[in-house]
Amino acid sequence: GQQLNQSPQSMFIQEGEDVSMNCTSSSIFNTWLWYKQDPGEGPVLLIALYKAGELTSNGRLTAQFGITRKDSFLNISASIPSDVGIYFCAGLLSEGAQKLVFGQGTRLTINP
Amino acid sequence: DAGVIQSPRHEVTEMGQEVTLRCKPISGHDYLFWYRQTMMRGLELLIYFNNNVPIDDSGMPEDRFSAKMPNASFSTLKIQPSEPRDSAVYFCASSLGSPGNTIYFGEGSWLTVV
């Protein structure tokens, strides 16, 4: 079946550092979504990407939809303690498709 | 606006008991999803509905699992009989079907079967 390979699986950084994570797949996606999950909560949408090459920012977060439509990255600049959590990429395989395929998640830990 | 509302938030039950999880999607959304999250398998789609009709239930583990959506504002996921391996977080999510749709998750129901 379709899979998203998300890396790294975990990150341990100092407060103030920049963070970068990515997702790749052998399949072509029409939409990429990035979610964050805090402990005890459901995933919350951070950024949605709809076109190949699209670069979108949301505050300190920046994400891009790869030109090949098989990858996406998420960057967080100047990390702060509340950025701690698990970040998931998710993709939709075709326009109008409703089945999200999720990556395995990147667990971010920040040392103050 | 209220988000996706799930109940119960936490449930501990004995093996063999019936478990019913409930979900109220965001008003106006026409798609509803049930996901399961475990450490081993991550987030898995179990089933989704469009306009109250089940569209794809290929992710439902086995006959012990069933889901219904009797109306646009309510859905249930039932496990009967429950087994310890069903212990997981079950998320309900909803979306408004359109190109570039976005799926919103509830806070989850944390199920422990002992």
Side-chain angles (χ1 to χ4, degrees):
Chain A
Q2 299 85 14
Q3 271 192 311
L4 289 181
N5 299 308
Q6 187 171 349
S7 65
Q9 287 190 335
S10 59
M11 301 182 73
F12 298 85
I13 64 168
Q14 296 293 124
E15 184 178 351
E17 288 184 15
D18 296 342
V19 173
S20 184
M21 60 191 78
N22 68 83
C23 273
T24 61
S25 176
S26 58
S27 301
I28 292 175
F29 287 85
N30 276 5
T31 300
W32 283 93
L33 306 171
W34 284 93
Y35 286 85
K36 183 191 178 198
Q37 186 175 21
D38 290 328
E41 304 293 332
V44 175
L45 182 68
L46 298 175
I47 291 180
L49 302 159
Y50 305 117
K51 296 180 181 179
E54 180 180 356
L55 184 70
T56 297
S57 293
N58 178 6
R60 293 177 297 103
L61 277 60
T62 302
Q64 185 160 29
F65 192 147
I67 290 291
T68 65
R69 294 166 63 192
K70 295 181 178 181
D71 64 314
S72 176
F73 72 74
L74 174 70
N75 289 341
I76 306 172
S77 63
S79 58
I80 59 178
S82 62
D83 292 334
V84 166
I86 303 176
Y87 292 80
F88 291 97
C89 63
L92 287 170
L93 282 163
S94 63
E95 191 171 318
Q98 298 293 329
K99 291 183 69 171
L100 269 181
V101 179
F102 277 87
Q104 304 96 321
T106 296
R107 183 180 296 273
L108 179 63
T109 303
I110 298 175
N111 298 315
Chain B
D1 289 339
V4 176
I5 299 172
Q6 291 186 245
S7 65
R9 287 296 313 274
H10 300 272
E11 178 148 350
V12 181
T13 190
E14 291 185 345
M15 182 173 63
Q17 296 297 306
E18 177 178 293
V19 173
T20 299
L21 308 178
R22 298 172 178 80
C23 175
K24 176 179 168 54
I26 294 172
S27 178
H29 282 191
D30 54 351
Y31 283 86
L32 183 139
F33 309 83
W34 283 101
Y35 282 85
R36 178 172 68 177
Q37 186 178 38
T38 61
M39 287 294 292
M40 292 298 295
R41 301 174 68 89
L43 273 161
E44 304 173 280
L45 177 65
L46 300 178
I47 185 172
Y48 78 93
F49 296 81
N50 176 221
N51 292 323
N52 313 339
V53 176
I55 302 300
D56 187 338
D57 65 354
S58 59
M60 295 286 264
E62 50 199 90
D63 291 346
R64 297 184 299 105
F65 285 69
S66 62
K68 294 182 180 179
M69 191 166 185
N71 57 62
S73 59
F74 183 67
S75 176
T76 59
L77 177 68
K78 187 172 293 187
I79 308 172
Q80 166 65 18
S82 58
E83 297 181 3
R85 60 190 167 126
D86 301 330
S87 298
V89 185
Y90 291 82
F91 288 104
C92 179
S94 70
S95 72
L96 181 60
S98 65
N101 52 318
T102 303
I103 297 172
Y104 296 90
F105 285 78
E107 294 185 319
S109 291
W110 299 67
L111 174 65
T112 302
V113 182
V114 297

